[in-house]
Amino acid sequence: MEAANQWVCDLVPYEPGKPIEETARELGLAPEDIIKLASNENPLGPSPKAKEAMIAEVDYAHLYPDGGGYKLRSALAQKHDVEFENVVLGNGSNEIIELLCHSFLKPGVSLIAAEHAFVVYKLMATLFGADYIEVPDPGFVHDLDAMADAITPETRLVFIANPNNPTGTLVKQAEIDRFIDRLPDHVVAVFDEAYYEFLEEAPDTLRYVREGRNVCVMRTFSKAQGLSALRIGYGFAPPHIAGLLNRSRQPFNANAIAQAAALAAINDQEHIEATVQNNKEGIAFFENAFEQRNWEFIPSHANFVLVKVGDGDHVFQELLKKGVIVRAMRGYKLPEWVRISVGTPSQNQRCLQELDALLSDF
Ligand SMILES: *Cc1c(COP(=O)(O)O)cnc(C)c1O
């Protein structure tokens, strides 16, 4: 349509992991026979404490949520040793990405990200009519020196997914420190830490929030806490940036049931530990299996593994017929790879068995 913004017309829609119900419908399978290892969800389900809190909150569904998110923001501030003013809630951390773009992007300015970075950054840059600068990531690791080199007077945002999705790679503290030292005043560095809870040695980026640098650190309840369906994420930023993000959001962007669930999930240490342990074992299971079979993979710091299977679309389709949903990677310019999220031990085994059957002569 002619009246529309050209950059919206040009947008290639985000392709999510294939839902279980849709797969069941299309293939005539029973939903309970299908396993989804496609969206880095928590195979242990939601935090039980969050579940209880959600049920209790249902009685108040006729009331608008606390748009200021007082309880949840206070709890996040306390837990992470930052100020209340440093915390911004989002409808998933994906919305924090959008709020950053609302605040800083327009036609003529640019967003920088790594070549194999999370695809939503590119979608958002495009949606706001801004330029998207993609920096090569040798070995699938963000090259922060090259990303700093790529900054121009027009650059406003640099996104660092740490660990990155879909590669699972991590950049370390020393590289981050060097990058922040080189960051010019007109640019905000965004650390997307959706998989933070899975890290054994997490780099400290919150120190830059406390120091008032031009940074935003994004995290989410979608992964380790198992609350993807609720759409609740958060950002930490110094007040001069958090204030902009708060102005850019809808008044009730984080719904009440999600806020209540998140508040309970923060301190459900038992569930987080079980999740992290299951993940550690699952990653080891897949990586050992791939090593034995001589299949190339990228060692992962997150809750998924990227593995080279030849024809990724074919493997995706064939696994689908067996009721195993993984993620094809053509959209990431990785047509030979699939990304597999860690499931329960039995789900992991079933996935590997089906892969073995498919790839025995690969
Ligand atoms: C999953 C993921 C997110 C989180 O998305 P939500 O909107 O919080 O569900 C953000 N960034 C990356 C890199 C992710 O993989």
Side-chain angles (χ1 to χ4, degrees):
M1 172 174 182
E2 214 141 296
N5 290 328
Q6 190 55 46
W7 50 83
V8 180
C9 302
D10 293 345
L11 205 67
V12 183
Y14 180 74
E15 214 178 300
K18 203 169 170 66
I20 289 178
E21 291 290 342
E22 182 181 309
T23 307
R25 253 188 339 262
E26 289 176 7
L27 295 171
L29 300 172
E32 55 275 16
D33 293 336
I34 296 174
I35 59 173
K36 184 178 176 215
L37 303 177
S39 300
N40 308 339
E41 293 146 338
N42 190 328
L44 306 186
S47 146
K49 290 195 171 129
K51 245 162 113 171
E52 253 175 64
M54 281 186 250
I55 291 164
E57 191 63 29
V58 165
D59 283 340
Y60 304 96
H62 59 299
L63 301 176
Y64 280 98
D66 173 8
Y70 180 77
K71 284 189 196 160
L72 181 55
R73 286 171 65 204
S74 302
L76 286 166
Q78 189 182 8
K79 170 140 188 139
H80 297 281
D81 192 23
V82 296
E83 301 298 323
F84 179 79
E85 290 71 26
N86 293 134
V87 188
V88 181
L89 302 181
N91 193 267
S93 57
N94 266 285
E95 196 198 17
I96 305 288
I97 303 173
E98 188 176 342
L99 300 181
L100 284 159
C101 294
H102 268 300
S103 302
F104 294 99
L105 297 189
K106 60 185 175 187
V109 305
S110 70
L111 180 160
I112 293 177
E115 187 176 351
H116 299 97
F118 188 43
V119 76
V120 172
Y121 314 144
K122 185 177 190 172
L123 295 182
M124 287 296 159
T126 309
L127 186 59
F128 286 85
D131 293 324
Y132 182 73
I133 299 177
E134 215 168 74
V135 177
D137 48 5
F140 296 124
V141 184
H142 281 43
D143 181 346
L144 294 194
D145 292 325
M147 290 173 82
D149 290 340
I151 291 173
T152 71
E154 286 71 42
T155 302
R156 294 294 176 270
L157 298 170
V158 181
F159 274 79
I160 298 157
N162 210 32
N164 183 42
N165 170 16
T167 59
T169 53
L170 187 74
V171 287
K172 302 272 164 57
Q173 189 77 50
E175 291 134 72
I176 292 170
D177 291 346
R178 201 162 64 230
F179 178 82
I180 294 290
D181 277 345
R182 292 185 58 190
L183 195 68
D185 286 343
H186 67 281
V187 180
V188 178
V190 183
F191 295 94
D192 184 346
E193 301 181 351
Y195 304 95
Y196 174 80
E197 289 85 351
F198 295 106
L199 294 176
E200 282 180 6
E201 264 180 86
D204 175 18
T205 47
L206 289 182
R207 71 170 76 158
Y208 295 120
V209 173
R210 295 183 199 105
E211 286 172 9
R213 305 295 295 263
N214 284 343
V215 299
C216 178
V217 176
M218 305 191 306
R219 296 191 190 155
T220 181
F221 289 94
S222 295
K223 307 287 159 62
Q225 282 84 2
L227 301 178
S228 313
L230 299 182
R231 314 306 305 124
I232 183 86
Y234 52 104
F236 295 117
H240 67 283
I241 293 170
L244 292 170
L245 303 184
N246 268 321
R247 257 173 273 172
S248 308
R249 67 178 177 81
Q250 294 276 335
F252 304 110
N253 64 327
N255 75 72
I257 294 173
Q259 287 189 44
L263 185 62
I266 289 179
N267 292 317
D268 192 348
Q269 209 47 41
E270 199 182 328
H271 183 68
I272 296 175
E273 276 165 24
T275 299
V276 169
Q277 185 59 28
N278 177 73
N279 189 63
K280 199 171 158 181
E281 289 164 16
I283 290 282
F285 170 82
F286 278 122
E287 293 189 348
N288 287 336
F290 298 158
E291 217 157 69
Q292 279 169 14
R293 288 157 179 77
N294 254 326
W295 299 346
E296 195 180 340
F297 66 94
I298 312 299
S300 174
H301 292 271
N303 64 350
F304 53 81
V305 192
L306 194 62
V307 58
K308 198 169 183 178
V309 292
D311 182 343
D313 288 334
H314 176 73
V315 167
F316 164 75
Q317 289 297 344
E318 292 302 310
L319 286 179
L320 201 60
K321 290 181 197 161
K322 306 288 185 184
V324 178
I325 313 173
V326 298
R327 196 72 157 262
M329 288 282 117
R330 183 173 297 281
Y332 281 90
K333 293 175 294 176
L334 297 167
E336 298 177 304
W337 301 72
V338 295
R339 193 194 65 197
I340 302 171
S341 307
V342 169
T344 60
S346 67
Q347 290 175 336
N348 299 340
Q349 248 158 28
R350 180 169 156 202
C351 178
L352 182 65
Q353 257 165 24
E354 297 296 356
L355 268 177
D356 271 335
L358 257 176
L359 300 179
S360 48
D361 25 68
F362 168 60

